[in-house]
């Protein structure tokens, strides 16, 4: 049975995570895709093509991506190379304390440049990427023309 995992499943956005796909056939060509929808409903996604090792596993931290959104060994490549579906959109988190970005990770059979709604993944999981640690206090700053926020740890 094919599975894709992200460890830890919930983490701060600046912390590394480990993505792994298991249960594949040895040397199977697969596409790993990461996707998320931002607070304005804009979709962002990245994809990378991998060949499973002899144990039927893919780990972007150990195995080189053969192409897609990036090539080479990039442990966080699926997160770093997220691109908007609509040109000239930026990935910005407005509500940093209230909710995380939920990144969906999927593994598909073969090298897929385009993935349609009819294409079913072999496996999928979801990662939460938080921008503020639990217990942080947010203090708004309004001084003259300066606007900002001060984040104080517990």
């Amino acid at each position: 049975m094919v599975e894709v995992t992200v460890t830890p499943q919930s983490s701060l956005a600046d912390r590394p995570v480990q993505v792994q796909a298991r249960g594949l056939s040895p040397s199977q060509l697969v596409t790993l895709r990461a996707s998320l929808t931002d607070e304005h409903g804009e979709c962002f996604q990245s994809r990378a093509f991998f060949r499973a090792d002899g144990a039927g596993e893919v780990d972007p931290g150990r195995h080189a991506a053969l192409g897609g959104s990036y090539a080479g060994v990039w442990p966080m490549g699926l997160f770093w190379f997220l691109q908007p579906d609509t040109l000239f959109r930026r990935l910005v988190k407005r509500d940093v304390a209230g909710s995380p970005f939920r990144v969906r990770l999927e593994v598909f059979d073969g090298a897929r440049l385009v993935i349609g709604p009819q294409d079913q993944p072999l496996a999928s999981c979801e990662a939460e990427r938080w921008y503020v640690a639990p217990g942080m206090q947010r203090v708004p700053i309004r001084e003259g023309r300066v606007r900002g926020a001060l984040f104080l740890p517990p």
Side-chain angles (χ1 to χ4, degrees), residues 28-33 46-52 57-79 81 111:
Q28 181 178 355
L29 184 62
V30 295
T31 300
L32 283 180
R33 178 175 78 163
S46 63
R47 67 180 47 80
F49 313 130
F50 293 92
R51 188 163 300 281
E57 296 181 359
V58 168
D59 180 347
R62 293 186 300 124
H63 303 114
L66 306 174
S69 301
Y70 67 95
V73 178
W74 292 80
M76 294 293 295
L78 291 168
F79 295 88
F81 291 95

Side-chain angles (χ1 to χ4, degrees), residues 133-148:
M136 291 290 283
Q137 179 185 1
R138 182 180 188 274
V139 179
I141 306 290
R142 297 181 71 99
E143 188 67 36
R145 293 175 40 179
V146 175
R147 302 289 182 265

Side-chain angles (χ1 to χ4, degrees), residues 6-118:
V6 60
T7 308
Q9 185 269 331
S10 182
S11 64
L12 291 173
D14 63 345
R15 304 295 174 160
V17 295
Q18 182 179 23
V19 176
Q20 289 185 311
R22 294 185 188 96
L24 302 164
S25 300
S27 300
Q28 181 178 355
L29 184 62
V30 295
T31 300
L32 283 180
R33 178 175 78 163
S35 61
L36 68 83
T37 302
D38 73 2
E39 296 155 331
H40 297 292
E42 294 291 336
C43 295
F44 292 78
Q45 59 182 320
S46 63
R47 67 180 47 80
F49 313 130
F50 293 92
R51 188 163 300 281
D53 64 13
E57 296 181 359
V58 168
D59 180 347
R62 293 186 300 124
H63 303 114
L66 306 174
S69 301
Y70 67 95
V73 178
W74 292 80
M76 294 293 295
L78 291 168
F79 295 88
W80 291 342
F81 291 95
L82 286 165
Q83 295 293 315
D85 287 351
T86 305
L87 291 176
F88 309 114
R89 301 291 186 192
R90 290 184 354 169
L91 184 57
V92 176
K93 184 72 171 133
R94 300 276 181 216
D95 180 17
V96 295
S99 65
F101 271 142
R102 297 185 194 289
V103 182
R104 183 172 175 78
L105 297 160
E106 299 168 304
V107 60
F108 293 89
D109 186 32
R112 307 256 180 133
L113 288 174
V114 178
I115 299 170
Q118 74 282 359

